[in-house]
């Protein structure tokens, strides 16, 4: 069945208008704040045509919205129907009304019959690269007149500038949107990768509270800090914390190798210094042409009949751990002479023994914490950290890490490197009668 052409035209016009409105939405220009570029274009249009009023107008579905208006104060939009701009966008070329009061196309328009009393109107369509007319650059006057070919040519050039500016802005918006999406994907990838380098959760150790935390400085770069806690035979437990050189994918690979090497070494030889020596040999063998190194603390916990834990701790060039005693005093656990892992010809690793009694805690941290700057610009250092812990009571591993997290938050921008934390605490023991806790 053949449909008469008169039935096709309205459908075609509606489809074209839908496409045009889709283009208007595509440029994301409606209801945006004033902009100097478009204000300048409106001003140039008015001056070039010797007209008191000029606008950069976008034709929406039910309104004419002014991106810029020269000589038209307090008006940001008007109804579309009937509208001068709405008529102008039906034409590919300049649209001119020399006397709106006598022109049947515009005689009933509120701008003509109303207080403004428009008599002259000239406009050039703002046409996109794919042929959609979004609106106009136009001039208005309250006296009937004509426009020269030169003036209409200028309006056409200004309308082209508007279209080019809209394209440029759309390109910028798309670029920014894409960059944000890429950054979001990258951040998700970094977080996922970072999680694979740390234990998803620390295991429960009978008679001991354990807590670990990682505080990244950047959301888009993988750090090289690591920690772990895992069981050995005979009721003992191994733990370690450290920091590899560098950041990014190479640091992630080094961190993964370091973590799993220490785990494997502890199973076959739980002596802390031997575990660090094994890691040193693996790193040297893996990175012969491009040496890589790390710092680390490696320890073994052994429960005692009285509820305390015997700890053997070895150091390889890492900041000392801190023991926070039940009475609030803080002691540094030095492993003097412990050297970097993976780079020296014959490194020396040192170890020491200590005891964690009920109420005591052991804190391991990477140097992102102590190298942070205080508000006066000084480095926090071991002494500053000890002073903070001494002045702030704690109860348990979680509370100790919350205390350190509060410190990192207070230092704010002074923290310039990632920080890994591992806290191990022995719960206090209380007499059933509520007497003083046993030590």
């Amino acid at each position: 069945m053949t449909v008469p052409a008169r039935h096709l035209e309205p459908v075609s016009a509606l489809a074209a208008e839908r496409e045009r409105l889709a283009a208007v939405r595509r440029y994301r220009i409606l209801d945006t704040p004033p902009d100097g570029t478009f204000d300048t274009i409106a001003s140039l249009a008015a001056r070039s045509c010797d007209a008191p009023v000029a606008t950069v107008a976008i034709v929406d579905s039910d309104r004419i919205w002014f991106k810029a208006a020269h000589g038209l104060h307090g008006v940001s939009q008007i109804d579309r129907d009937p509208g001068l701009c709405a008529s102008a966008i039906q034409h590919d070329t300049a649209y001119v009304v020399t006397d709106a009061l006598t022109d049947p196309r515009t005689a009933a328009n509120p701008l003509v019959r109303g207080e403004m009393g428009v008599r002259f109107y000239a406009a050039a369509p703002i046409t996109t690269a794919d042929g959609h007319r979004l609106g106009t650059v136009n001039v208005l006057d309250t006296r009937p007149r004509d426009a020269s070919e030169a003036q209409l040519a200028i309006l056409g050039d200004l309308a082209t500038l508007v279209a080019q500016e809209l394209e440029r802005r759309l390109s910028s918006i798309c670029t920014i949107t894409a960059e944000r999406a890429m950054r979001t994907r990258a951040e998700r990838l970094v977080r996922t990768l970072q999680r694979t380098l740390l234990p998803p959760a620390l295991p429960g150790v009978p008679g001991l509270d354990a807590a670990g935390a990682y505080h990244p400085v950047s959301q888009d770069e993988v750090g090289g800090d690591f920690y772990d806690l895992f069981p050995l035979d005979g009721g003992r437990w191994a733990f370690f914390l450290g920091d590899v050189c560098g950041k990014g994918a190479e640091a992630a690979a080094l961190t993964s190798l370091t973590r799993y090497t220490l785990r494997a070494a502890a199973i076959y030889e739980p002596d802390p210094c031997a575990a660090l020596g094994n890691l040193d040999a693996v790193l040297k063998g893996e990175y012969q042409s491009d040496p890589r190194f790390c710092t680390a603390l490696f320890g073994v916990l052994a429960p005692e009949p009285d509820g305390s834990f015997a700890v053997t701790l070895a150091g390889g060039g890492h900041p000392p751990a801190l023991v926070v005693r039940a009475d609030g005093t803080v002691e540094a656990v030095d492993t003097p002479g412990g050297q970097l892992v993976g780079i020296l010809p014959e490194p020396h690793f040192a170890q020491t023994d200590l005891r964690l009694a009920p109420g005591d805690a052991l804190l391991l941290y990477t140097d992102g914490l102590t190298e942070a700057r205080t508000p006066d610009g000084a480095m926090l250092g071991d002494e500053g950290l000890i002073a903070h812990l001494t002045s702030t009571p704690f109860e348990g591993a979680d509370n100790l890490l919350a205390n350190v997290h509060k410190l990192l938050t207070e230092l704010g921008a002074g923290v310039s490197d990632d920080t890994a934390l591992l806290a191990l605490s022995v719960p206090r023991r209380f007499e059933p009668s509520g007497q003083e806790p046993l030590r």
Side-chain angles (χ1 to χ4, degrees):
M1 177 179 177
T2 302
V3 180
R6 63 177 178 273
H7 296 300
L8 293 175
E9 290 177 358
V11 175
S12 177
L14 288 173
E17 177 62 5
R18 283 196 296 268
E19 292 179 1
R20 192 195 69 79
L21 288 173
V24 170
R25 303 289 183 272
R26 183 176 76 224
Y27 286 92
R28 308 182 201 184
I29 191 66
L30 289 173
D31 299 313
T32 55
D35 184 288
T37 299
F38 296 102
D39 291 341
T40 299
I41 289 174
S43 177
L44 287 172
R47 290 205 303 271
S48 64
C49 295
D50 191 24
V53 177
T55 73
V56 176
I58 304 297
V59 180
D60 199 0
S61 58
D62 58 354
R63 59 174 176 160
I64 310 294
W65 178 77
F66 301 132
K67 176 58 182 173
H70 174 86
L72 188 63
H73 305 292
V75 180
S76 62
Q77 64 183 43
I78 58 175
D79 290 340
R80 172 172 175 171
D81 188 26
L84 295 169
C85 291
S87 300
I89 62 167
Q90 303 301 319
H91 300 266
D92 289 326
T93 57
Y95 178 83
V96 181
V97 177
T98 57
D99 189 346
L101 193 59
T102 61
D103 192 317
R105 298 174 298 176
T106 57
N109 192 288
L111 294 179
V112 177
R113 290 292 182 180
E115 182 179 351
M116 190 172 178
V118 172
R119 299 291 294 276
F120 165 75
Y121 176 82
I126 300 168
T127 307
T128 66
D130 52 355
H132 296 295
R133 295 185 288 275
L134 308 182
T136 66
V137 174
N138 59 77
V139 292
L140 304 93
D141 205 340
T142 55
R143 55 191 174 90
R145 45 172 290 203
D146 203 347
S148 68
E149 290 296 325
Q151 289 172 329
L152 295 179
I154 291 173
L155 286 181
D157 289 342
L158 293 176
T160 299
L161 286 177
V162 171
Q164 291 172 349
E165 180 66 11
L166 292 177
E167 291 288 354
R168 187 190 67 80
R169 288 166 182 257
L170 178 59
S171 177
S172 297
I173 291 171
C174 292
T175 299
I176 292 171
T177 301
E179 288 177 350
R180 287 175 178 170
M182 290 178 61
R183 178 175 290 273
T184 299
R185 289 194 294 270
E187 288 176 354
R188 289 173 181 166
L189 178 61
V190 166
R191 287 194 294 269
T192 301
L193 180 56
Q194 193 75 65
R195 284 196 296 268
T196 66
L197 304 178
L198 300 169
L202 294 178
V205 180
L208 188 78
D209 292 334
Y214 179 74
H215 296 266
V217 170
S218 171
Q219 295 296 326
D220 55 8
E221 191 170 36
V222 181
D225 297 19
F226 59 90
Y227 61 84
D228 208 346
L229 171 68
F230 52 96
L232 300 174
D233 58 7
R236 296 177 305 161
W237 293 78
F239 63 93
F240 58 77
L241 177 140
D243 185 6
V244 306
C245 63
K247 289 185 180 298
E250 291 185 353
L254 179 57
T255 299
S256 181
L257 176 63
T258 297
R259 182 176 170 219
Y260 290 106
T261 297
L262 286 176
R263 268 183 165 260
I267 293 174
Y268 293 102
E269 179 53 77
D271 175 74
C273 280
L276 292 180
N278 187 293
L279 174 62
D280 180 77
V282 169
L283 294 185
K284 288 175 180 175
E286 186 70 20
Y287 296 97
Q288 296 183 30
S289 59
D290 184 18
R292 299 287 170 146
F293 63 90
C294 72
T295 66
L297 290 174
F298 186 99
V300 174
L301 293 158
E304 299 290 339
D306 63 355
S308 64
F309 279 81
V311 182
T312 301
L313 186 66
H318 198 81
L322 299 177
V323 174
V324 185
R325 296 298 181 187
D327 61 4
T329 59
V330 181
E331 308 166 5
V333 183
D334 290 319
T335 52
Q339 296 176 324
L340 294 175
V341 183
I343 196 168
L344 300 176
E346 296 182 3
H348 172 73
F349 304 120
Q351 67 184 43
T352 188
D353 297 317
L354 63 140
R355 176 176 172 268
L356 293 180
D360 294 344
L362 182 66
L363 175 66
L364 286 70
Y365 56 90
T366 54
D367 57 12
L369 176 58
T370 50
E371 291 180 358
R373 298 285 176 175
T374 59
D376 62 4
M379 190 176 293
L380 177 68
D382 296 334
E383 292 182 358
L385 176 58
I386 290 174
H388 175 81
L389 295 177
T390 302
S391 64
T392 311
F394 84 98
E395 189 65 45
D398 287 328
N399 187 251
L400 178 56
L401 288 198
N403 183 8
V404 178
H405 173 73
K406 181 174 180 293
L407 173 60
L408 287 167
T409 301
E410 291 172 348
L411 292 173
V415 181
S416 60
D417 197 6
D418 301 337
T419 300
L421 303 167
L422 180 63
L424 308 171
S425 68
V426 183
R428 297 176 185 268
R429 297 171 58 200
F430 291 89
E431 289 285 2
S433 60
Q435 296 177 358
E436 290 296 314
L438 296 176
R439 294 292 310 278

